[in-house]
């Protein structure tokens, strides 16, 4: 059984980054960048209730020191200098993730494409591709499996009728994995496909049924 569906929720995430040798300055830079992103989203018509800013994470790059190589012994190649990592911090890098979850299939993808324009305003931000989700899958699966079972029964009846037999009771039914693919694609996987890259999708349900033959 196959049915066309359209996504009802779109999510998007981006990462704001700030770097500075001074931790406080890096934090101030990140907060200023976050405020610019918030203003950009508000101007784009994205409600604040649909937006989540994560906790700030910090990474440290430590200074390295080069120790001179020991004196070269006669007839031996020169030894390479030794590089050690010190405990002194050379650079702090702070990260903050921003996530949008919305039913607006126009505004959110537009934000994902245009938010990097803030780079010209000094905001270091990376934008992920939006993900398109269908949230009513559980109730749809039941209908799809019923449709697939009816199709399996109809196929079995056609085969048996052509052989001058009679279809008996259902002995066994096995459900295959659901395949959710972009519209027009027939990609399959033994573990199931769950496409999140496209707004329009197709869901395919497979049922294997075994019947008695009378």
């Amino acid at each position: 059984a196959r049915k066309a569906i359209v996504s009802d929720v779109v999510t998007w995430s981006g990462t704001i980054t700030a770097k500075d040798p001074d931790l406080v300055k890096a934090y101030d830079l990140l907060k200023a960048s976050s405020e610019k992103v918030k203003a950009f989203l508000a101007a784009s018509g994205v409600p604040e209730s649909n937006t989540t800013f994560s906790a700030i994470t910090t990474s440290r790059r430590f200074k390295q020191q080069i120790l001179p190589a020991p004196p070269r012994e006669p007839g031996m190649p020169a030894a390479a200098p030794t590089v050690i990592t010190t405990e002194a911090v050379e650079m702090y890098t702070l990260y903050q993730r921003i996530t949008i979850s919305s039913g607006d299939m126009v505004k959110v993808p537009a934000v994902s494409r245009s938010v990097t324009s803030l780079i010209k305003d000094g905001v270091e931000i990376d934008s992920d591709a939006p993900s398109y989700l269908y949230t009513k899958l559980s109730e749809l699966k039941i209908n799809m499996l019923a449709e697939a079972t009816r199709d399996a029964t109809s196929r079995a009846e056609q085969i048996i009728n052509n052989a001058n037999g009679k279809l008996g009771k259902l002995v066994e039914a096995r459900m295959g994995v659901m395949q959710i693919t972009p519209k027009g694609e027939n990609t399959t996987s033994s573990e199931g496909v769950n496409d999140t890259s496209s707004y329009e999708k197709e869901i395919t349900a497979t049922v294997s049924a075994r019947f008695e033959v009378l």
Side-chain angles (χ1 to χ4, degrees):
R2 177 171 294 185
K3 183 177 180 63
I5 58 175
V6 292
S7 305
D8 55 0
V9 170
V10 57
T11 63
W12 167 83
S13 294
T15 303
I16 307 169
T17 306
K19 301 175 184 177
D20 197 276
D22 184 276
L23 180 58
V24 174
K25 290 182 179 179
Y27 175 81
D28 290 340
L29 178 59
L30 183 67
K31 294 303 291 182
S33 295
S34 296
E35 291 302 321
K36 290 179 181 179
V37 173
K38 288 180 182 179
F40 178 87
L41 297 179
S44 300
V46 178
E48 188 175 348
S49 59
N50 293 346
T51 305
T52 303
F53 282 81
S54 73
I56 296 173
T57 58
T58 305
S59 68
R60 298 165 177 82
R61 188 176 74 216
F62 295 94
K63 294 181 180 179
Q64 292 185 328
Q65 182 178 352
I66 301 177
L67 302 180
R72 184 172 64 89
E73 297 183 8
M76 298 295 292
T82 302
V83 179
I84 62 172
T85 300
T86 70
E87 294 183 355
V89 176
E90 182 178 35
M91 184 68 67
Y92 291 96
T93 304
L94 275 59
Y95 305 92
Q96 189 171 37
R97 291 280 286 176
I98 175 174
T99 303
I100 298 174
S101 181
S102 172
D104 195 320
M105 300 295 160
V106 176
K107 290 180 181 178
V108 176
V111 165
S112 73
R113 295 188 297 268
S114 59
V115 70
T116 49
S117 64
L118 291 174
I119 293 175
K120 61 182 174 56
D121 295 326
V123 178
E124 186 175 345
I125 184 169
D126 294 315
S127 176
D128 298 343
S131 295
Y132 299 92
L133 309 175
Y134 184 75
T135 61
K136 301 174 183 177
L137 193 57
S138 296
E139 55 191 77
L140 180 61
K141 281 182 178 180
I142 298 174
N143 296 332
M144 293 292 293
L145 291 174
E147 184 178 339
T149 303
R150 285 193 296 269
D151 182 71
T153 304
S154 175
R155 290 168 181 258
E157 287 177 340
Q158 291 178 13
I159 293 172
I160 297 304
N161 289 340
N162 290 336
N164 297 321
K166 185 177 180 181
L167 189 68
K169 66 179 181 180
L170 176 67
V171 176
E172 181 187 24
R174 290 180 298 167
M175 179 185 69
V177 294
M178 293 282 185
Q179 311 285 346
I180 303 175
T181 58
K183 183 179 179 180
E185 292 190 13
N186 294 315
T187 306
T188 60
S189 168
S190 59
E191 298 179 353
V193 177
N194 186 14
D195 170 68
T196 60
S197 64
S198 56
Y199 169 61
E200 295 183 286
K201 313 173 190 290
E202 288 181 340
I203 179 171
T204 304
T206 302
V207 169
S208 297
R210 188 160 62 94
F211 299 88
E212 285 184 345
V213 177
L214 305 178

